[in-house]
Amino acid sequence: MWEYTEKTKELFLHPKNVGEIENPDAVGEVGSMVCGDALKLSLKIDKETGKIIDAKFQTFGCASAIASSSALTELIKDKTLDEALKVSNKDIAEFLGGLPKEKMHCSVMGYEALEAAVNNYRGVKPPEVEEGNIICECFGVTDTKIKRVITENNLKTAEDVTNYTKAGGGCGKCVPEIEKLLKEVWAEKVIREAVKPKKLTFIKKIALIQEIIEKEIMPSIKADGGDIELVDVEGSKVTVALRGTCTGCLMADVTAKNIEKKLKELVSEDLFVEVQ
Amino acid sequence: MRVTYLDNNATTRVSDEVIEEMTPYLGELYGNPSSMHTFGGQLHRKIEEARGRVAELINAEPDEIIFTSCGTESDNTAIMSALESYPQKRQIVTTRVEHPAVLNFCKTMEQKDYSTKLLPVDRLGKLNIDELRETITNNTAVVSVMYANNETGVIFPVPEIAEITKFRGSVFHTDAVQAAGKLPIDIKKMPIDMLSISGHKLHAPKGVGALYIRRGTRFSPYIIGGHQEHGRRAGTENVASIIGLGKACELAGKNMHEENTRIKALRDRLEQGLLKSCPDARLNGDSENRLPNTLNISFEYVEGEAILLRLNEDNICASSGSACTSGSLEPSHVLRAMGIPFTAIHGSVRFSLSRYTADDEISLVLKRMPEIIKELRTLSPYGRKAAGTL
């Protein structure tokens, strides 16, 4: 049984803003019945101020999908479109006092419906088919969407991706591809956010090493059931501890070499790694 | 508020007679049946009495029954035993709609160089017997086909499958966890080698099961240790629960007729009522060859978890094959194997009755269900497609 908060239960049993606005200014539809959840959002917008005067929803889905939709309408009312677009799936989940992690995709659906409605209002044509290649055939999730959700929510494992997008939750065939995408996103992210700097203060160096370990290295180690922790940095010596299934693993040396390679590449050539 | 319990394929209420029979063995009679002294040793007789009662339910001999900790252990034990008894044979034949206790065990065996053939089912959840016949070869160590499906209640033609398997020289095991106590089973009339029973599905407590092993069947124990169960299942006996299982089997035998008359009539009333009062509802599974207590029905355009939680407000208990209720976001493997469209799987609800189900429980569901479906369809963007709300 799911552990829903009182707020989620309340909004499921007595949802607010249910229905369809007559002559709406904007409509956003996401999901499909095949996927098991779908949301249709309709908005009334004040043309002068650009504010959302009314928002109504119709949802096919489970309790948390219905509650998330209701939360979304509450959160965006009386906001301008730009303000409303800042409402993220995290805000929706927070409004509900949290969602079980397996149900986070319900809050993502809320955000996507809003985005679709705003595009509809602004005359931005949604792409005929969602951009990117379909990765999860069971739920029709594309690599574009998976990458976006990984980035926005700092997801680290394929299981997280399933909880947020459903991808990989059907037959499970695409899980290796999701893991590949995770690696790609994190590699891009780290490089984008931290182009190898010329000179680093010691504190900055530690922070950067920590960041690269967390974002670049941890996801693949976690995928294999292990974990890694930065223990110390003295001069050029980086000490890490491997945990979980890494403990006593014959591959630990190989892992250490890989970590060293990454750190040399992204932080500084003189670094070397020791496993505690 | 009174609980309306229509989830008996998940677990059942322990009957009062069973509790009464068990109570002394949870209290003052706490001995170990393996002991030399009378205080413990006398329990041995009670265990043998229970063994006789379990055997009687399926017309087996008492020495063909061993007690286990649950249906899953019985299933695992049976398949493992067949594999270890015929190590040169490397294939397992089973179906796509088995319980995870069989399916996941077979998957694990694939890592040990066994191949598993999963037989498909048709729209009604029925097996293609010709395909089964062709699939079994000299290399097949064991064929494991459930007696009746837990989600749809569809009954497989086990006597026929057992004959085919015997003819081909493989071991036949059936997971009869849902069927035992609901259907008359005469083990002497069909060549079943092993058959699994679970206590909590037939009004005994959780944590006890039984495995029937036909005399002469090669057997290799799964749990190794002491000499209990003549070395076929080690571990100190779960005395009270075994005694409870014995009593529950005796009661199930006595109530078998009621199961197939009164309970079936209640189930049929629920089925016909819901199909009539809820537009766009459809029955899942073969309506003919089906357990008398099970109803699996899909309500299009609404989602199963939402239905269950609305029913929960009235303390009505049922199950769903919807992805959102599975814990893994994966919709029912049984309904998918049957080729039921996703739209109908998401809105599937299983009601399963027992001899404790009362008329007014069915009436309550018949009253509430159309209201709930209508409410949820009002919420749903597809609701207008449903005939009832146009």
mmCIF file with all atom_site columns, all heavy atoms in Angstrom, chain B residues 121-141:
data_model
loop_
_atom_site.group_PDB
_atom_site.id
_atom_site.type_symbol
_atom_site.label_atom_id
_atom_site.label_alt_id
_atom_site.label_comp_id
_atom_site.label_asym_id
_atom_site.label_entity_id
_atom_site.label_seq_id
_atom_site.pdbx_PDB_ins_code
_atom_site.Cartn_x
_atom_site.Cartn_y
_atom_site.Cartn_z
_atom_site.occupancy
_atom_site.B_iso_or_equiv
_atom_site.pdbx_formal_charge
_atom_site.auth_seq_id
_atom_site.auth_comp_id
_atom_site.auth_asym_id
_atom_site.auth_atom_id
_atom_site.pdbx_PDB_model_num
ATOM 1   N N   . VAL B 1 121 ? -0.792  -17.814 -23.341 1.00 0.00 ? 121 VAL B N   1
ATOM 2   C CA  . VAL B 1 121 ? -2.223  -18.112 -23.168 1.00 0.00 ? 121 VAL B CA  1
ATOM 3   C C   . VAL B 1 121 ? -3.000  -17.260 -24.172 1.00 0.00 ? 121 VAL B C   1
ATOM 4   O O   . VAL B 1 121 ? -2.472  -16.281 -24.704 1.00 0.00 ? 121 VAL B O   1
ATOM 5   C CB  . VAL B 1 121 ? -2.712  -17.789 -21.736 1.00 0.00 ? 121 VAL B CB  1
ATOM 6   C CG1 . VAL B 1 121 ? -2.076  -18.720 -20.731 1.00 0.00 ? 121 VAL B CG1 1
ATOM 7   C CG2 . VAL B 1 121 ? -2.459  -16.332 -21.374 1.00 0.00 ? 121 VAL B CG2 1
ATOM 8   N N   . ASP B 1 122 ? -4.244  -17.622 -24.393 1.00 0.00 ? 122 ASP B N   1
ATOM 9   C CA  . ASP B 1 122 ? -5.051  -16.830 -25.335 1.00 0.00 ? 122 ASP B CA  1
ATOM 10  C C   . ASP B 1 122 ? -5.817  -15.726 -24.598 1.00 0.00 ? 122 ASP B C   1
ATOM 11  O O   . ASP B 1 122 ? -5.634  -15.521 -23.406 1.00 0.00 ? 122 ASP B O   1
ATOM 12  C CB  . ASP B 1 122 ? -5.972  -17.748 -26.156 1.00 0.00 ? 122 ASP B CB  1
ATOM 13  C CG  . ASP B 1 122 ? -7.048  -18.400 -25.295 1.00 0.00 ? 122 ASP B CG  1
ATOM 14  O OD1 . ASP B 1 122 ? -7.228  -17.994 -24.120 1.00 0.00 ? 122 ASP B OD1 1
ATOM 15  O OD2 . ASP B 1 122 ? -7.721  -19.327 -25.790 1.00 0.00 ? 122 ASP B OD2 1
ATOM 16  N N   . ARG B 1 123 ? -6.686  -15.050 -25.334 1.00 0.00 ? 123 ARG B N   1
ATOM 17  C CA  . ARG B 1 123 ? -7.480  -13.943 -24.786 1.00 0.00 ? 123 ARG B CA  1
ATOM 18  C C   . ARG B 1 123 ? -8.242  -14.285 -23.509 1.00 0.00 ? 123 ARG B C   1
ATOM 19  O O   . ARG B 1 123 ? -8.488  -13.441 -22.661 1.00 0.00 ? 123 ARG B O   1
ATOM 20  C CB  . ARG B 1 123 ? -8.505  -13.495 -25.839 1.00 0.00 ? 123 ARG B CB  1
ATOM 21  C CG  . ARG B 1 123 ? -7.942  -12.524 -26.824 1.00 0.00 ? 123 ARG B CG  1
ATOM 22  C CD  . ARG B 1 123 ? -8.261  -11.131 -26.384 1.00 0.00 ? 123 ARG B CD  1
ATOM 23  N NE  . ARG B 1 123 ? -7.303  -10.220 -26.976 1.00 0.00 ? 123 ARG B NE  1
ATOM 24  C CZ  . ARG B 1 123 ? -7.517  -8.935  -27.177 1.00 0.00 ? 123 ARG B CZ  1
ATOM 25  N NH1 . ARG B 1 123 ? -8.645  -8.405  -26.812 1.00 0.00 ? 123 ARG B NH1 1
ATOM 26  N NH2 . ARG B 1 123 ? -6.604  -8.171  -27.697 1.00 0.00 ? 123 ARG B NH2 1
ATOM 27  N N   . LEU B 1 124 ? -8.672  -15.568 -23.450 1.00 0.00 ? 124 LEU B N   1
ATOM 28  C CA  . LEU B 1 124 ? -9.457  -15.980 -22.286 1.00 0.00 ? 124 LEU B CA  1
ATOM 29  C C   . LEU B 1 124 ? -8.563  -16.547 -21.187 1.00 0.00 ? 124 LEU B C   1
ATOM 30  O O   . LEU B 1 124 ? -9.046  -17.007 -20.164 1.00 0.00 ? 124 LEU B O   1
ATOM 31  C CB  . LEU B 1 124 ? -10.499 -17.016 -22.698 1.00 0.00 ? 124 LEU B CB  1
ATOM 32  C CG  . LEU B 1 124 ? -11.599 -16.506 -23.639 1.00 0.00 ? 124 LEU B CG  1
ATOM 33  C CD1 . LEU B 1 124 ? -12.517 -17.650 -24.049 1.00 0.00 ? 124 LEU B CD1 1
ATOM 34  C CD2 . LEU B 1 124 ? -12.410 -15.406 -22.971 1.00 0.00 ? 124 LEU B CD2 1
ATOM 35  N N   . GLY B 1 125 ? -7.256  -16.526 -21.431 1.00 0.00 ? 125 GLY B N   1
ATOM 36  C CA  . GLY B 1 125 ? -6.329  -17.036 -20.419 1.00 0.00 ? 125 GLY B CA  1
ATOM 37  C C   . GLY B 1 125 ? -6.132  -18.529 -20.501 1.00 0.00 ? 125 GLY B C   1
ATOM 38  O O   . GLY B 1 125 ? -5.636  -19.144 -19.559 1.00 0.00 ? 125 GLY B O   1
ATOM 39  N N   . LYS B 1 126 ? -6.518  -19.124 -21.649 1.00 0.00 ? 126 LYS B N   1
ATOM 40  C CA  . LYS B 1 126 ? -6.409  -20.578 -21.777 1.00 0.00 ? 126 LYS B CA  1
ATOM 41  C C   . LYS B 1 126 ? -5.114  -20.978 -22.501 1.00 0.00 ? 126 LYS B C   1
ATOM 42  O O   . LYS B 1 126 ? -4.652  -20.277 -23.393 1.00 0.00 ? 126 LYS B O   1
ATOM 43  C CB  . LYS B 1 126 ? -7.610  -21.126 -22.540 1.00 0.00 ? 126 LYS B CB  1
ATOM 44  C CG  . LYS B 1 126 ? -8.905  -20.903 -21.770 1.00 0.00 ? 126 LYS B CG  1
ATOM 45  C CD  . LYS B 1 126 ? -10.000 -21.854 -22.206 1.00 0.00 ? 126 LYS B CD  1
ATOM 46  C CE  . LYS B 1 126 ? -10.628 -21.455 -23.519 1.00 0.00 ? 126 LYS B CE  1
ATOM 47  N NZ  . LYS B 1 126 ? -11.874 -22.201 -23.773 1.00 0.00 ? 126 LYS B NZ  1
ATOM 48  N N   . LEU B 1 127 ? -4.587  -22.152 -22.114 1.00 0.00 ? 127 LEU B N   1
ATOM 49  C CA  . LEU B 1 127 ? -3.367  -22.663 -22.735 1.00 0.00 ? 127 LEU B CA  1
ATOM 50  C C   . LEU B 1 127 ? -3.702  -23.395 -24.023 1.00 0.00 ? 127 LEU B C   1
ATOM 51  O O   . LEU B 1 127 ? -4.782  -23.963 -24.151 1.00 0.00 ? 127 LEU B O   1
ATOM 52  C CB  . LEU B 1 127 ? -2.702  -23.682 -21.801 1.00 0.00 ? 127 LEU B CB  1
ATOM 53  C CG  . LEU B 1 127 ? -1.845  -23.173 -20.661 1.00 0.00 ? 127 LEU B CG  1
ATOM 54  C CD1 . LEU B 1 127 ? -1.404  -24.375 -19.836 1.00 0.00 ? 127 LEU B CD1 1
ATOM 55  C CD2 . LEU B 1 127 ? -0.629  -22.421 -21.177 1.00 0.00 ? 127 LEU B CD2 1
ATOM 56  N N   . ASN B 1 128 ? -2.752  -23.396 -24.942 1.00 0.00 ? 128 ASN B N   1
ATOM 57  C CA  . ASN B 1 128 ? -2.871  -24.210 -26.137 1.00 0.00 ? 128 ASN B CA  1
ATOM 58  C C   . ASN B 1 128 ? -2.207  -25.568 -25.845 1.00 0.00 ? 128 ASN B C   1
ATOM 59  O O   . ASN B 1 128 ? -0.986  -25.662 -25.758 1.00 0.00 ? 128 ASN B O   1
ATOM 60  C CB  . ASN B 1 128 ? -2.178  -23.498 -27.301 1.00 0.00 ? 128 ASN B CB  1
ATOM 61  C CG  . ASN B 1 128 ? -2.275  -24.277 -28.573 1.00 0.00 ? 128 ASN B CG  1
ATOM 62  O OD1 . ASN B 1 128 ? -2.455  -25.494 -28.582 1.00 0.00 ? 128 ASN B OD1 1
ATOM 63  N ND2 . ASN B 1 128 ? -2.150  -23.569 -29.683 1.00 0.00 ? 128 ASN B ND2 1
ATOM 64  N N   . ILE B 1 129 ? -3.043  -26.597 -25.685 1.00 0.00 ? 129 ILE B N   1
ATOM 65  C CA  . ILE B 1 129 ? -2.536  -27.899 -25.242 1.00 0.00 ? 129 ILE B CA  1
ATOM 66  C C   . ILE B 1 129 ? -1.605  -28.522 -26.286 1.00 0.00 ? 129 ILE B C   1
ATOM 67  O O   . ILE B 1 129 ? -0.618  -29.178 -25.943 1.00 0.00 ? 129 ILE B O   1
ATOM 68  C CB  . ILE B 1 129 ? -3.713  -28.834 -24.909 1.00 0.00 ? 129 ILE B CB  1
ATOM 69  C CG1 . ILE B 1 129 ? -4.497  -28.267 -23.722 1.00 0.00 ? 129 ILE B CG1 1
ATOM 70  C CG2 . ILE B 1 129 ? -3.241  -30.246 -24.593 1.00 0.00 ? 129 ILE B CG2 1
ATOM 71  C CD1 . ILE B 1 129 ? -3.698  -28.131 -22.438 1.00 0.00 ? 129 ILE B CD1 1
ATOM 72  N N   . ASP B 1 130 ? -1.902  -28.279 -27.561 1.00 0.00 ? 130 ASP B N   1
ATOM 73  C CA  . ASP B 1 130 ? -1.027  -28.841 -28.604 1.00 0.00 ? 130 ASP B CA  1
ATOM 74  C C   . ASP B 1 130 ? 0.372   -28.259 -28.515 1.00 0.00 ? 130 ASP B C   1
ATOM 75  O O   . ASP B 1 130 ? 1.363   -28.954 -28.684 1.00 0.00 ? 130 ASP B O   1
ATOM 76  C CB  . ASP B 1 130 ? -1.614  -28.572 -29.999 1.00 0.00 ? 130 ASP B CB  1
ATOM 77  C CG  . ASP B 1 130 ? -2.857  -29.419 -30.225 1.00 0.00 ? 130 ASP B CG  1
ATOM 78  O OD1 . ASP B 1 130 ? -2.922  -30.526 -29.646 1.00 0.00 ? 130 ASP B OD1 1
ATOM 79  O OD2 . ASP B 1 130 ? -3.762  -28.968 -30.945 1.00 0.00 ? 130 ASP B OD2 1
ATOM 80  N N   . GLU B 1 131 ? 0.423   -26.961 -28.244 1.00 0.00 ? 131 GLU B N   1
ATOM 81  C CA  . GLU B 1 131 ? 1.725   -26.310 -28.111 1.00 0.00 ? 131 GLU B CA  1
ATOM 82  C C   . GLU B 1 131 ? 2.491   -26.882 -26.919 1.00 0.00 ? 131 GLU B C   1
ATOM 83  O O   . GLU B 1 131 ? 3.689   -27.135 -26.990 1.00 0.00 ? 131 GLU B O   1
ATOM 84  C CB  . GLU B 1 131 ? 1.548   -24.794 -27.965 1.00 0.00 ? 131 GLU B CB  1
ATOM 85  C CG  . GLU B 1 131 ? 2.873   -24.063 -28.067 1.00 0.00 ? 131 GLU B CG  1
ATOM 86  C CD  . GLU B 1 131 ? 2.714   -22.551 -28.074 1.00 0.00 ? 131 GLU B CD  1
ATOM 87  O OE1 . GLU B 1 131 ? 1.573   -22.062 -28.175 1.00 0.00 ? 131 GLU B OE1 1
ATOM 88  O OE2 . GLU B 1 131 ? 3.747   -21.876 -27.980 1.00 0.00 ? 131 GLU B OE2 1
ATOM 89  N N   . LEU B 1 132 ? 1.751   -27.106 -25.836 1.00 0.00 ? 132 LEU B N   1
ATOM 90  C CA  . LEU B 1 132 ? 2.368   -27.699 -24.644 1.00 0.00 ? 132 LEU B CA  1
ATOM 91  C C   . LEU B 1 132 ? 2.958   -29.061 -24.992 1.00 0.00 ? 132 LEU B C   1
ATOM 92  O O   . LEU B 1 132 ? 4.108   -29.375 -24.673 1.00 0.00 ? 132 LEU B O   1
ATOM 93  C CB  . LEU B 1 132 ? 1.315   -27.851 -23.541 1.00 0.00 ? 132 LEU B CB  1
ATOM 94  C CG  . LEU B 1 132 ? 1.759   -28.640 -22.314 1.00 0.00 ? 132 LEU B CG  1
ATOM 95  C CD1 . LEU B 1 132 ? 2.201   -27.697 -21.217 1.00 0.00 ? 132 LEU B CD1 1
ATOM 96  C CD2 . LEU B 1 132 ? 0.677   -29.557 -21.794 1.00 0.00 ? 132 LEU B CD2 1
ATOM 97  N N   . ARG B 1 133 ? 2.173   -29.859 -25.722 1.00 0.00 ? 133 ARG B N   1
ATOM 98  C CA  . ARG B 1 133 ? 2.602   -31.211 -26.083 1.00 0.00 ? 133 ARG B CA  1
ATOM 99  C C   . ARG B 1 133 ? 3.898   -31.150 -26.905 1.00 0.00 ? 133 ARG B C   1
ATOM 100 O O   . ARG B 1 133 ? 4.825   -31.912 -26.684 1.00 0.00 ? 133 ARG B O   1
ATOM 101 C CB  . ARG B 1 133 ? 1.493   -31.899 -26.873 1.00 0.00 ? 133 ARG B CB  1
ATOM 102 C CG  . ARG B 1 133 ? 1.724   -33.400 -27.035 1.00 0.00 ? 133 ARG B CG  1
ATOM 103 C CD  . ARG B 1 133 ? 0.589   -34.064 -27.786 1.00 0.00 ? 133 ARG B CD  1
ATOM 104 N NE  . ARG B 1 133 ? -0.610  -34.223 -26.986 1.00 0.00 ? 133 ARG B NE  1
ATOM 105 C CZ  . ARG B 1 133 ? -1.794  -33.655 -27.263 1.00 0.00 ? 133 ARG B CZ  1
ATOM 106 N NH1 . ARG B 1 133 ? -1.932  -32.881 -28.307 1.00 0.00 ? 133 ARG B NH1 1
ATOM 107 N NH2 . ARG B 1 133 ? -2.838  -33.867 -26.492 1.00 0.00 ? 133 ARG B NH2 1
ATOM 108 N N   . GLU B 1 134 ? 3.938   -30.202 -27.834 1.00 0.00 ? 134 GLU B N   1
ATOM 109 C CA  . GLU B 1 134 ? 5.118   -30.096 -28.703 1.00 0.00 ? 134 GLU B CA  1
ATOM 110 C C   . GLU B 1 134 ? 6.344   -29.565 -27.959 1.00 0.00 ? 134 GLU B C   1
ATOM 111 O O   . GLU B 1 134 ? 7.472   -29.835 -28.353 1.00 0.00 ? 134 GLU B O   1
ATOM 112 C CB  . GLU B 1 134 ? 4.813   -29.166 -29.884 1.00 0.00 ? 134 GLU B CB  1
ATOM 113 C CG  . GLU B 1 134 ? 3.945   -29.825 -30.940 1.00 0.00 ? 134 GLU B CG  1
ATOM 114 C CD  . GLU B 1 134 ? 3.270   -28.801 -31.835 1.00 0.00 ? 134 GLU B CD  1
ATOM 115 O OE1 . GLU B 1 134 ? 3.789   -27.668 -31.937 1.00 0.00 ? 134 GLU B OE1 1
ATOM 116 O OE2 . GLU B 1 134 ? 2.214   -29.133 -32.409 1.00 0.00 ? 134 GLU B OE2 1
ATOM 117 N N   . THR B 1 135 ? 6.090   -28.794 -26.916 1.00 0.00 ? 135 THR B N   1
ATOM 118 C CA  . THR B 1 135 ? 7.204   -28.149 -26.212 1.00 0.00 ? 135 THR B CA  1
ATOM 119 C C   . THR B 1 135 ? 7.983   -29.120 -25.330 1.00 0.00 ? 135 THR B C   1
ATOM 120 O O   . THR B 1 135 ? 9.185   -28.972 -25.149 1.00 0.00 ? 135 THR B O   1
ATOM 121 C CB  . THR B 1 135 ? 6.666   -26.986 -25.352 1.00 0.00 ? 135 THR B CB  1
ATOM 122 O OG1 . THR B 1 135 ? 5.908   -26.134 -26.191 1.00 0.00 ? 135 THR B OG1 1
ATOM 123 C CG2 . THR B 1 135 ? 7.784   -26.198 -24.726 1.00 0.00 ? 135 THR B CG2 1
ATOM 124 N N   . ILE B 1 136 ? 7.273   -30.094 -24.769 1.00 0.00 ? 136 ILE B N   1
ATOM 125 C CA  . ILE B 1 136 ? 7.940   -31.016 -23.833 1.00 0.00 ? 136 ILE B CA  1
ATOM 126 C C   . ILE B 1 136 ? 8.804   -32.012 -24.623 1.00 0.00 ? 136 ILE B C   1
ATOM 127 O O   . ILE B 1 136 ? 8.331   -32.649 -25.552 1.00 0.00 ? 136 ILE B O   1
ATOM 128 C CB  . ILE B 1 136 ? 6.908   -31.790 -22.994 1.00 0.00 ? 136 ILE B CB  1
ATOM 129 C CG1 . ILE B 1 136 ? 5.935   -30.808 -22.316 1.00 0.00 ? 136 ILE B CG1 1
ATOM 130 C CG2 . ILE B 1 136 ? 7.603   -32.638 -21.933 1.00 0.00 ? 136 ILE B CG2 1
ATOM 131 C CD1 . ILE B 1 136 ? 4.780   -31.489 -21.619 1.00 0.00 ? 136 ILE B CD1 1
ATOM 132 N N   . THR B 1 137 ? 10.078  -32.071 -24.254 1.00 0.00 ? 137 THR B N   1
ATOM 133 C CA  . THR B 1 137 ? 10.991  -32.997 -24.952 1.00 0.00 ? 137 THR B CA  1
ATOM 134 C C   . THR B 1 137 ? 11.724  -33.868 -23.932 1.00 0.00 ? 137 THR B C   1
ATOM 135 O O   . THR B 1 137 ? 11.477  -33.759 -22.726 1.00 0.00 ? 137 THR B O   1
ATOM 136 C CB  . THR B 1 137 ? 12.069  -32.218 -25.739 1.00 0.00 ? 137 THR B CB  1
ATOM 137 O OG1 . THR B 1 137 ? 12.902  -31.550 -24.778 1.00 0.00 ? 137 THR B OG1 1
ATOM 138 C CG2 . THR B 1 137 ? 11.464  -31.210 -26.686 1.00 0.00 ? 137 THR B CG2 1
ATOM 139 N N   . ASN B 1 138 ? 12.643  -34.669 -24.423 1.00 0.00 ? 138 ASN B N   1
ATOM 140 C CA  . ASN B 1 138 ? 13.473  -35.500 -23.538 1.00 0.00 ? 138 ASN B CA  1
ATOM 141 C C   . ASN B 1 138 ? 14.300  -34.640 -22.592 1.00 0.00 ? 138 ASN B C   1
ATOM 142 O O   . ASN B 1 138 ? 14.765  -35.105 -21.565 1.00 0.00 ? 138 ASN B O   1
ATOM 143 C CB  . ASN B 1 138 ? 14.469  -36.321 -24.368 1.00 0.00 ? 138 ASN B CB  1
ATOM 144 C CG  . ASN B 1 138 ? 13.745  -37.349 -25.191 1.00 0.00 ? 138 ASN B CG  1
ATOM 145 O OD1 . ASN B 1 138 ? 12.604  -37.699 -24.878 1.00 0.00 ? 138 ASN B OD1 1
ATOM 146 N ND2 . ASN B 1 138 ? 14.397  -37.822 -26.257 1.00 0.00 ? 138 ASN B ND2 1
ATOM 147 N N   . ASN B 1 139 ? 14.503  -33.406 -23.009 1.00 0.00 ? 139 ASN B N   1
ATOM 148 C CA  . ASN B 1 139 ? 15.350  -32.492 -22.230 1.00 0.00 ? 139 ASN B CA  1
ATOM 149 C C   . ASN B 1 139 ? 14.561  -31.772 -21.138 1.00 0.00 ? 139 ASN B C   1
ATOM 150 O O   . ASN B 1 139 ? 15.110  -31.013 -20.358 1.00 0.00 ? 139 ASN B O   1
ATOM 151 C CB  . ASN B 1 139 ? 15.983  -31.475 -23.191 1.00 0.00 ? 139 ASN B CB  1
ATOM 152 C CG  . ASN B 1 139 ? 17.105  -30.697 -22.530 1.00 0.00 ? 139 ASN B CG  1
ATOM 153 O OD1 . ASN B 1 139 ? 17.811  -31.221 -21.674 1.00 0.00 ? 139 ASN B OD1 1
ATOM 154 N ND2 . ASN B 1 139 ? 17.239  -29.426 -22.901 1.00 0.00 ? 139 ASN B ND2 1
ATOM 155 N N   . THR B 1 140 ? 13.233  -31.969 -21.094 1.00 0.00 ? 140 THR B N   1
ATOM 156 C CA  . THR B 1 140 ? 12.404  -31.253 -20.114 1.00 0.00 ? 140 THR B CA  1
ATOM 157 C C   . THR B 1 140 ? 12.449  -31.974 -18.767 1.00 0.00 ? 140 THR B C   1
ATOM 158 O O   . THR B 1 140 ? 11.967  -33.099 -18.645 1.00 0.00 ? 140 THR B O   1
ATOM 159 C CB  . THR B 1 140 ? 10.942  -31.166 -20.599 1.00 0.00 ? 140 THR B CB  1
ATOM 160 O OG1 . THR B 1 140 ? 10.936  -30.629 -21.916 1.00 0.00 ? 140 THR B OG1 1
ATOM 161 C CG2 . THR B 1 140 ? 10.119  -30.290 -19.677 1.00 0.00 ? 140 THR B CG2 1
ATOM 162 N N   . ALA B 1 141 ? 13.018  -31.294 -17.763 1.00 0.00 ? 141 ALA B N   1
ATOM 163 C CA  . ALA B 1 141 ? 13.100  -31.893 -16.431 1.00 0.00 ? 141 ALA B CA  1
ATOM 164 C C   . ALA B 1 141 ? 11.750  -31.820 -15.740 1.00 0.00 ? 141 ALA B C   1
ATOM 165 O O   . ALA B 1 141 ? 11.304  -32.762 -15.093 1.00 0.00 ? 141 ALA B O   1
ATOM 166 C CB  . ALA B 1 141 ? 14.156  -31.180 -15.601 1.00 0.00 ? 141 ALA B CB  1
#
